[in-house]
Amino acid sequence: MVNLLAAILENIAEGLIAVDKEKKIMLVNKTAEKMFGLKTKELLGKKISTLPLEDEEGKSVPLQQLPVARVLSSKKIINSKSLFIRNNQTRIPVSITASPIKANGEVLGGVSIFRDISEEKQIDKAKSEFIYIASHGLMTPLSVAKLYLEGLQKKEYFNNAPKDIKDYFTEIYKSNTRSIALVRNLLSVSRIDQRSVKDNPETVNVSSLMKKIIKEMDPIAEKNQVSLSLEKSKTKIPPIVIDPLRLREVVENLIANAIKYNVPGGQVNVIIGKEGEKLLLRIKDTGMGISAKDKNKVFSKFYRAEKAMIKNTEGTGLGLYVVKSYVEGWGGKIFLESEVGKGSVFTLTIPMRTG
Amino acid sequence: MKKILIVEDEIPYQRLLQDQLLAEGYDVIGANDGKAGLDMAKQEKPDLILLDIRMPVMDGVTMLLSLRKDTYGKSAKVILLSNLEPTDEMTRKIAKAKPAHYLVKSDIELYDLLGKVKEQIWQKH
């Protein structure tokens, strides 16, 4: 008599491993055996940490960080796409979905499904490389155009040119500047994906940097009929070690959004302070707000909320992705609170390095 | 008169720079790839070299590392011009080839570029 349930588990085309409450392996299906290059009898009864799982850097994953171990305490489903199975000389990127085994109101253990995502990762990598190469190619003619436009501006006859010539020129120059910004955004995204972002930390006086940025962005705020203000908390913020260009990119991105997606007569408030040992940055606006549906997605690549697209066709959908990547790269967190029709608040907390 | 060598494969870019630098009163010579640039640098011993990074035959960083092995080239003043911010690997290579400055073409205004040239060319070692 064939045990149907056992046969089903054995033949699932994805790797399946179940552990008991003590995190000891109690079931390994055929696919998991193949993926790990290990036999069931070598794994049964052993702690889940015996599985050859590595992180991006090739380091072994500690027991408490393994998804199937985490579900035992969290009691919720956990997904991971950043781990690899080490099978002799090969590393297989896997998507792991772990869930607690619940019965009669009790957690009996955890079950983990492993899916080979090599192809997915390859496609992703090819996309990033394409963006990188294309952006690089695009930057060249844009830089040349920029140079010639600036060279023209220096010419004597340009200064004496009729107004409409100068206006046409200004539009060309603005267009060129926008294109350069877009290509640079694309480049940032592709380099984040390819993990080749060079972080250049320096000692930065955050308060002065913020004052400078606000001053530079005042004209844009004015043009959009929005007031821009900076509030500093009473506690003094010490100079911190951070990449000033990246920090600037983050802040400029958030403020630009707050201005862009605002209403005439609206406000943008930038607040800096400390939250314990962390730097706190808050950007509040009285703009169109972000719906609950979009809140989770706005930080992903190329995502643009529908309302935003209607208001402004130029956005690339890359800004918040870049912001989140940088902030998380610094070990920080970004939070979003928003209400449609009222406005949004972006809060960043960044651990402060002082030396 | 101070002499500047522009090593750049993008001819329109080189031409504009040349026009601007001539107008500022410098003597200007040019090459369109790293190898030609290296030979010209060793031969002409310019007071400043504007060096593009991505070029055919030999790229800017390779040219610079080679240049530093020469008696004149060891302390030649160089400003690197790139379309991109440096990657980790490139920064390490450039750090090995000190002293050099690194500017991103799309990031820098012409006015500031000329300012940088002036600053570097007149700076005492």
Side-chain angles (χ1 to χ4, degrees):
Chain A
M1 232 291 263
V2 170
N3 181 339
L4 191 56
L5 280 177
I8 291 172
L9 284 177
E10 264 306 282
N11 288 286
I12 292 177
E14 313 217 294
L16 187 153
I17 295 186
V19 301
D20 62 20
K21 276 191 289 196
E22 268 90 60
K23 305 181 183 116
K24 296 210 187 105
I25 297 172
M26 52 181 186
L27 178 65
V28 179
N29 79 345
K30 231 189 317 208
T31 314
E33 281 186 319
K34 255 198 287 200
M35 286 178 113
F36 284 93
L38 296 165
K39 291 274 172 239
T40 305
K41 52 182 192 237
E42 291 174 82
L43 293 168
L44 273 184
K46 301 243 173 66
K47 276 257 186 259
I48 189 80
S49 42
T50 14
L51 286 179
L53 281 166
E54 317 181 327
D55 64 14
E56 296 262 334
E57 274 117 44
K59 289 201 290 235
S60 222
V61 183
L63 177 62
Q64 5 26 309
Q65 281 179 30
L66 289 169
V68 80
R70 287 166 58 200
V71 296
L72 291 175
S73 42
S74 76
K75 301 192 175 62
K76 292 205 222 143
I77 297 174
I78 290 179
N79 281 305
S80 156
K81 280 200 172 180
S82 55
L83 298 180
F84 297 77
I85 294 176
R86 162 74 54 188
N87 186 339
N88 288 322
Q89 304 294 26
T90 21
R91 242 159 76 102
I92 309 171
V94 282
S95 161
I96 306 176
T97 307
S99 44
I101 303 170
K102 293 184 190 160
N104 301 328
E106 243 196 280
V107 173
L108 303 173
V111 58
S112 218
I113 303 284
F114 296 84
R115 189 165 57 86
D116 185 336
I117 52 172
S118 311
E119 203 178 312
E120 240 175 81
K121 291 243 165 169
Q122 248 178 337
I123 293 174
D124 234 11
K125 186 161 182 252
K127 263 197 269 180
S128 291
E129 282 178 359
F130 171 76
I131 293 178
Y132 186 82
I133 293 168
S135 312
H136 209 320
L138 284 168
M139 221 24 140
T140 309
L142 289 172
S143 303
V144 175
K146 179 184 166 80
L147 196 70
Y148 273 88
L149 286 167
E150 285 166 5
L152 262 180
Q153 264 180 324
K154 288 177 80 204
K155 298 280 181 196
E156 181 90 38
Y157 52 72
F158 180 78
N159 279 307
N160 301 325
K163 183 174 184 302
D164 54 353
I165 299 246
K166 287 202 195 161
D167 285 346
Y168 275 38
F169 173 92
T170 303
E171 288 308 318
I172 297 172
Y173 190 75
K174 268 178 21 187
S175 217
N176 176 265
T177 305
R178 255 173 51 198
S179 301
I180 289 178
L182 171 56
V183 174
R184 190 171 298 127
N185 246 338
L186 280 172
L187 270 172
S188 290
V189 165
S190 76
R191 276 156 75 200
I192 286 170
D193 286 353
Q194 292 191 292
R195 286 162 225 299
S196 59
V197 177
K198 174 80 178 118
D199 208 54
N200 280 307
E202 283 170 37
T203 310
V204 175
N205 182 326
V206 181
S207 311
S208 352
L209 178 61
M210 295 303 288
K211 271 205 274 212
K212 218 160 126 197
I213 298 175
I214 302 282
K215 190 151 166 245
E216 288 165 13
M217 299 192 83
D218 256 327
I220 307 171
E222 220 182 280
K223 204 179 93 171
N224 283 273
Q225 299 171 298
V226 162
S227 74
L228 177 59
S229 68
L230 175 65
E231 243 176 71
K232 283 189 297 179
S233 82
K234 314 240 178 8
T235 32
K236 194 156 187 286
I237 301 164
I240 60 169
V241 175
I242 197 165
D243 183 332
L245 273 180
R246 304 274 166 259
L247 182 57
R248 191 179 248 279
E249 214 176 320
V250 164
V251 174
E252 280 178 358
N253 238 301
L254 291 171
I255 297 180
N257 281 353
I259 294 174
K260 242 193 310 194
Y261 301 111
N262 216 320
V263 292
Q267 289 180 343
V268 175
N269 298 350
V270 179
I271 300 146
I272 54 171
K274 268 170 78 173
E275 191 174 87
E277 288 315 306
K278 302 212 181 105
L279 173 70
L280 176 82
L281 270 168
R282 188 164 273 148
I283 290 108
K284 268 168 86 166
D285 69 65
T286 52
M288 53 170 60
I290 300 166
S291 70
K293 172 173 80 103
D294 290 323
K295 262 190 356 190
N296 297 329
K297 304 198 204 138
V298 286
F299 292 104
S300 30
K301 250 191 283 187
F302 302 120
Y303 187 83
R304 298 203 66 222
E306 210 176 296
K307 283 193 159 211
M309 276 196 280
I310 295 171
K311 169 113 206 250
N312 178 348
T313 47
E314 287 165 24
T316 57
L318 295 172
L320 287 178
Y321 175 79
V322 173
V323 165
K324 182 164 188 262
S325 302
Y326 287 165
V327 170
E328 290 181 350
W330 291 322
K333 292 210 175 88
I334 180 164
F335 305 96
L336 166 60
E337 295 154 80
S338 188
E339 212 185 304
V340 173
K342 290 255 181 80
S344 308
V345 183
F346 283 86
T347 308
L348 311 173
T349 51
I350 301 168
M352 293 192 283
R353 263 173 70 190
T354 40
Chain B
M1 203 161 44
K2 296 281 186 182
K3 197 191 303 187
I4 300 179
L5 165 63
I6 308 175
V7 188
E8 164 70 66
D9 68 322
E10 191 67 33
I11 299 191
Y13 197 85
Q14 182 183 54
R15 208 181 86 186
L16 189 316
L17 279 183
Q18 182 171 294
D19 285 349
Q20 295 292 324
L21 292 170
L22 284 170
E24 301 265 305
Y26 303 109
D27 195 6
V28 182
I29 48 175
N32 296 123
D33 67 70
K35 180 86 183 51
L38 181 64
D39 294 336
M40 198 174 278
K42 290 200 234 181
Q43 191 181 315
E44 302 277 335
K45 305 188 179 31
D47 299 292
L48 177 67
I49 305 172
L50 293 178
L51 182 53
D52 183 29
I53 299 215
R54 279 190 164 227
M55 287 183 292
V57 183
M58 186 192 284
D59 72 82
V61 178
T62 310
M63 184 270 202
L64 181 57
L65 291 170
S66 235
L67 183 69
R68 293 302 185 210
K69 298 192 184 135
D70 172 79
T71 9
Y72 148 79
K74 209 167 23 179
S75 52
K77 291 185 189 160
V78 177
I79 296 179
L80 287 154
L81 295 168
S82 168
N83 273 319
L84 296 171
E85 284 155 56
T87 59
D88 275 337
E89 198 195 308
M90 193 174 295
T91 318
R92 255 181 279 132
K93 281 197 189 157
I94 296 173
K96 271 207 275 177
K98 277 184 167 183
H101 286 261
Y102 189 100
L103 297 174
V104 180
K105 286 181 200 168
S106 55
D107 247 350
I108 193 157
E109 313 282 305
L110 176 58
Y111 180 80
D112 295 322
L113 174 57
L114 294 172
K116 197 82 186 175
V117 165
K118 191 169 176 186
E119 175 201 292
Q120 286 304 300
I121 209 165
W122 292 104
Q123 203 184 61
K124 300 271 183 270
H125 275 297

